[in-house]
Amino acid sequence: MPATPSQQGVDDVSERTQQNRSEGQSPATKAGRRLAAQLAAQKAAEAKRRRQAWAGGLAGVAVVAVLITVFVLVGGGDDDKPANQADATPSASASAPAQDAADAPPAPQLPAGADPALGSKPTVEAGKGELKKLAVTPVIKGTGPAVKKGQTITTNYVGVFYKDGKEFDSSWKAGQPATFAIGVGQVIPGWDQGLVGVTVGSRVQLDIPGELAYGNDEAAAGGRPTGPLRFVVDVLAAQ
């Protein structure tokens, strides 16, 4: 007897089921394997992206490390110099004379026939005993004309306290001689009285009591040196 349609459908399903079983795979197994393959592919792609990100990060760190190393070697090379090579580089004190020569004020222009010693700053020491009056002591005798009252003279000088020899003023520091009229009240009385009659080209020592300088009262002196003073003055010109 021929099979009915429903029976025929059952037979078809049974046939397909037997065919799948003969192949060793079920429909569910095939779908699961496809899903597992997709998941594995996704994981592999993510792992590849992470490896690429790590590689890029490590490359950036390496570049920064190289830059830092170059900066240290270039900027701080002197700090890494071995201790036994310290003497190979001139010290500050060794190079000081050249620097001093560059920064030193120009030598003063000396009058014709003047003693070359006038080109160097003198050393001035403290006085001895009690100073009661103006004392003018020749150190170098110049051969030029004598200074007259009212003339404008050019001088180099060093001023110290008579009692301890501490310097308080010097034209040598500025590298510029001082020019002023003499004998007319533009300078302290000790200078007005002590420098008139000194010949051009001379170096003289002026020991000046406080009353012929800036006085003996510190409050009234306005910050100027008080008490007895000692000056060594070079007369460079007079006109």
Side-chain angles (χ1 to χ4, degrees):
M1 182 177 66
T4 63
S6 61
Q7 182 64 39
Q8 181 65 38
V10 170
D11 292 341
D12 291 340
V13 170
S14 176
E15 182 178 356
R16 287 196 300 271
T17 301
Q18 290 177 357
Q19 182 178 358
N20 290 336
R21 286 178 178 176
S22 66
E23 293 176 358
Q25 294 180 348
S26 65
T29 301
K30 288 184 177 182
R33 289 187 177 183
R34 286 197 298 271
L35 179 60
Q38 292 175 355
L39 292 175
Q42 291 178 356
K43 289 183 179 181
E46 291 178 359
K48 182 177 180 180
R49 285 195 296 271
R50 286 197 295 270
R51 288 194 298 271
Q52 291 176 345
W54 273 102
L58 291 175
V61 171
V63 170
V64 173
V66 170
L67 292 176
I68 293 175
T69 302
V70 171
F71 174 79
V72 170
L73 292 176
V74 174
D78 292 340
D79 295 336
D80 297 333
K81 182 172 56 179
N84 60 3
Q85 294 183 5
D87 293 338
T89 302
S91 65
S93 59
S95 61
Q99 183 68 25
D100 291 343
D103 296 340
Q109 183 175 358
L110 304 182
D115 190 320
L118 297 183
S120 300
K121 179 181 177 181
T123 300
V124 185
E125 299 179 351
K128 297 179 181 179
E130 185 178 358
L131 183 62
K132 296 182 179 181
K133 64 179 181 179
L134 175 65
V136 182
T137 306
V139 179
I140 297 174
K141 178 65 175 178
T143 58
V147 173
K148 297 177 182 179
K149 182 178 179 179
Q151 283 188 311
T152 297
I153 66 173
T154 300
T155 67
N156 265 328
Y157 67 90
V158 178
V160 304
F161 290 99
Y162 182 84
K163 293 182 179 180
D164 60 14
K166 183 178 180 181
E167 183 179 313
F168 61 82
D169 193 14
S170 172
S171 64
W172 294 88
K173 288 183 178 179
Q176 182 66 43
T179 300
F180 49 86
I182 193 70
V184 294
Q186 286 193 6
V187 291
I188 58 176
W191 279 45
D192 270 344
Q193 298 175 24
L195 294 179
V196 171
V198 173
T199 55
V200 173
S202 294
R203 172 174 287 176
V204 295
Q205 177 178 288
L206 303 179
D207 292 330
I208 306 173
E211 56 270 20
L212 295 180
Y214 301 104
N216 297 303
D217 187 351
E218 294 183 1
R224 294 174 296 184
T226 57
L229 307 176
R230 170 171 284 182
F231 290 89
V232 173
V233 183
D234 299 343
V235 180
L236 304 177
Q239 57 184 6

